Amino acid sequence: MDRIPEVRTLRSKIKQLTQDEGPQQWSEALCKEWMQSAPEQASILYIDGHVRVYNEQQTKLPRHHVARQKLCLRATTDYWVNAMDGQPFMVINKAVDPGMIKVIENDILPQLEKRLPTFVNAEELKSDPLLHRFTLVCDRESYSPPFFKRMKAQRVACLTYHSMFKFLILRR
């Protein structure tokens, strides 16, 4: 007969899992395993930001606009990186939101470069100047021609919902 563990056993397991860098290492290992098990899905990644309202009084978080309530409330922002089918690869939480472009450049891209399998080898990248390593699809918050140029220099294709036509012109 199956039994559930006692509460003290669960608490000790949770304590073991959350010590030091345990959750971060586990998340990185899962992300790497998922990306390598389905490399065709990891070549196009969707990035989306979600505001998570904080209702407690223990800390003073900055205020964010919450669209569903049409108010500015204390909240954090989660940036989700998903595969084409919606499978989550990783999430980055920001208490103070610097904006999607800065989060992509400073937090998401360095982690993707460590975790993503290589789709295109170096010789192909040298021979074809329009070839990219992977594609990022983001909402209109990431629309910025200077950002697109910086990503093109790093061989990362970017698509936004704002204006794909402008991106295609910029890419040529």
Side-chain angles (χ1 to χ4, degrees), residues 24-165:
Q24 183 68 22
Q25 291 172 353
W26 184 50
S27 173
E28 287 178 14
L30 280 176
C31 177
K32 198 172 207 176
E33 181 182 325
W34 289 338
M35 287 184 176
Q36 290 175 351
S37 67
E40 67 281 351
Q41 290 184 354
S43 64
I44 299 175
L45 300 168
Y46 295 91
I47 300 174
D48 195 17
H50 295 275
V51 175
R52 187 168 23 138
V53 178
Y54 179 75
N55 293 314
E56 299 295 323
Q57 300 295 326
Q58 294 178 359
T59 186
K60 296 286 187 184
L61 289 172
R63 296 183 183 272
H64 295 274
H65 181 265
V66 181
R68 68 181 172 266
Q69 295 177 345
K70 297 181 183 174
L71 295 170
C72 287
L73 301 171
R74 298 202 183 276
T76 61
T77 304
D78 294 332
Y79 288 96
W80 289 87
V81 180
N82 301 323
M84 291 190 304
D85 64 352
Q87 179 182 1
F89 283 137
M90 65 186 201
V91 64
I92 294 180
N93 180 278
K94 291 291 186 182
V96 178
D97 184 20
M100 184 178 279
I101 292 174
K102 288 187 179 179
V103 171
I104 290 173
E105 289 181 318
N106 298 335
D107 298 318
I108 295 175
L109 275 182
Q111 290 189 27
L112 286 177
E113 289 174 357
K114 288 190 293 186
R115 299 176 185 181
L116 273 177
T118 55
F119 304 107
V120 183
N121 62 29
E123 296 167 4
E124 290 176 328
L125 283 173
K126 287 180 184 177
S127 65
D128 187 0
L130 295 179
L131 195 60
H132 55 274
R133 296 182 296 155
F134 55 90
T135 302
L136 298 178
V137 180
C138 310
D139 61 7
R140 63 184 174 267
E141 186 181 352
S142 68
Y143 177 77
S144 166
F147 170 67
F148 292 154
K149 287 181 183 178
R150 291 191 302 271
M151 292 298 102
K152 183 180 178 184
Q154 294 183 28
R155 308 301 285 266
V156 176
C158 293
L159 298 173
T160 69
Y161 307 143
H162 177 45
S163 179
M164 290 190 194
F165 179 73

